[in-house]
Amino acid sequence: MSAPAPVRRRLVIVGSGPAGLTAAIYASRANLAPLVIAGVPSGGQLMLTSDVENYPGFPEGILGPELMDRFRAQAKRFGTEFWEANVTRVDFTHRPFRLEAGLSGTVEADAVIVATGANARWLDLPSEQKLRGKGVSACATCDGFFFKGKELAVVGGGDSAMEEATFLTKFASHVTVIHRRDGFRASRILESRARANPKIGFRLSSEVVEVLGTNSVEGLRVKDLTTGKVETLPVGGLFVAIGHDPATEVFRGALELDEHGYLKTRDLTRTSVEGVFAAGDVYDHRYRQAVSAAGLGCMAALDAEHWLVEQAQPHAPGHVASAPAPSAR
């Protein structure tokens, strides 16, 4: 039995976090009838976040999954189609582009927006997983506000760990940085700044072996890797700052990546392949916020819309079509 013929869409968006869904809202309002290949699980990292209090428009805060449900409902309202699948293979060597999505089928697209995001690295402890969103976090900027007056711990030894620890001192009574090695990978200036902060302490050659607590973090069991001794560190929150992994493996060889696996872009959203755009944490490894990802999703959708219009216009020799005015907001 032959495989079903590919479906054809003007725009395909890969990913369904804040970047992908914002792109879908803008693209669907521009009558591009986008298809979102949402990924499994869908919704991005906010699906693992409890309270979101720094997203504009929600003065009382909102649960991460509820916020993503609202994004999705808004995109569907304007005609966005969804496939609940992962992209398993892409061919960007010629247009129309081709994307395979397992049992959902194959789609040919005139333009593509990649918004697959990046995933925080975790310690892979069962106790850590149980308490994610209940005192275990990978984003101090997102969650530090909830820990006023508490003692906290940060795991990591790079720039992110130093920045997270320093930021958390705005709220915490004390922050302990825990690192497996006997020295840090962080830049000298960030390490010096952290060491100069009287609210930051350090445990080197140490690792967290268990996160204590039932409904919230109540402490950590920390092992000294030199002596083997295990002690309990009483803290009210754990921030894991050991890096992120961009979700770009399926695009390796099809799009240009940097040394860390993030998509390389020019003019903010354009990738190495004309007609393929990027949005959100899949290339933005600096800000990693829902609101900045949403903004990049908006820009990618507008850029894709302009590019598609340019492709449809007959060009006189030597003439480069100018981009149309952005769609009404």
Side-chain angles (χ1 to χ4, degrees):
M1 183 177 178
S2 60
V7 300
R8 181 71 177 268
R9 297 291 183 269
R10 293 194 71 194
L11 176 65
V12 169
I13 299 167
V14 187
S16 59
L21 294 180
T22 301
I25 291 167
Y26 273 78
S28 56
R29 290 187 73 245
N31 294 322
L32 296 180
L35 166 65
V36 171
I37 304 178
V40 181
S42 63
Q45 292 193 74
L46 280 185
M47 298 301 289
L48 305 174
T49 304
S50 53
D51 295 310
V52 179
E53 293 200 333
N54 57 2
Y55 199 90
F58 298 93
E60 305 303 322
I62 185 171
L63 295 176
E66 182 184 353
L67 181 60
M68 287 296 88
D69 285 345
R70 293 193 180 198
F71 272 52
R72 188 179 178 116
Q74 191 170 358
K76 289 185 73 172
R77 175 191 168 202
F78 294 116
T80 298
E81 178 186 359
F82 287 86
W83 282 5
E84 305 303 323
N86 292 317
V87 172
T88 56
R89 184 176 178 274
V90 300
D91 183 355
F92 293 156
T93 59
H94 61 277
R95 294 197 293 268
F97 304 121
R98 190 179 179 97
L99 301 94
E100 297 178 7
L103 296 177
S104 291
T106 299
V107 58
E108 292 181 343
D110 297 322
V112 174
I113 294 175
V114 178
T116 47
N119 300 310
R121 296 175 190 156
W122 298 96
L123 303 177
D124 293 328
L125 300 172
S127 54
E128 169 203 49
Q129 184 174 358
K130 181 183 73 172
L131 290 170
R132 283 186 200 172
K134 299 177 181 179
V136 175
S137 172
C139 180
T141 307
C142 310
D143 299 327
F145 178 82
F146 300 112
F147 295 88
K148 287 185 176 179
K150 293 187 176 182
E151 293 194 19
L152 303 174
V154 172
V155 174
D159 286 353
S160 294
M162 299 302 114
E163 290 173 336
E164 298 268 278
T166 301
F167 177 83
L168 287 170
T169 59
K170 297 179 180 180
F171 311 103
S173 60
H174 188 265
V175 178
T176 300
V177 178
I178 303 170
H179 185 42
R180 288 178 53 86
R181 303 181 186 279
D182 59 2
F184 292 112
R185 304 185 312 275
S187 61
R188 189 167 298 177
I189 186 170
L190 291 178
E191 180 182 347
S192 297
R193 190 177 299 162
R195 287 191 179 279
N197 191 317
K199 295 176 74 174
I200 299 178
F202 301 88
R203 284 202 173 199
L204 297 176
S205 300
S206 300
E207 69 175 358
V208 176
V209 295
E210 185 179 5
V211 184
L212 305 175
T214 303
N215 296 312
S216 63
V217 174
E218 298 174 3
L220 305 174
R221 296 188 72 221
V222 180
K223 181 179 181 179
D224 186 310
L225 297 177
T226 302
T227 65
K229 183 179 180 181
V230 176
E231 296 180 326
T232 297
L233 181 67
V235 296
L238 170 65
F239 288 80
V240 181
I242 56 177
H244 289 73
D245 294 312
T248 55
E249 189 59 36
V250 73
F251 304 105
R252 191 172 297 276
L255 298 172
E256 189 176 0
L257 310 178
D258 69 11
E259 63 272 22
H260 301 294
Y262 290 90
L263 289 183
K264 281 189 173 183
T265 61
R266 56 183 177 83
D267 297 333
L268 290 178
T269 71
R270 296 173 184 266
T271 70
S272 57
V273 174
E274 192 73 16
V276 180
F277 303 84
D281 293 6
V282 74
Y283 78 94
D284 169 31
H285 47 79
R286 178 175 179 180
Y287 297 104
R288 296 196 186 100
Q289 299 297 303
V291 68
S292 59
L296 292 169
C298 162
M299 289 187 279
L302 293 176
D303 286 346
E305 177 193 355
H306 297 167
W307 184 83
L308 285 167
V309 170
E310 288 176 352
Q311 301 310 300
Q313 291 177 346
H315 296 175
H319 174 70
V320 177
S322 58
S327 303
R329 301 302 194 270

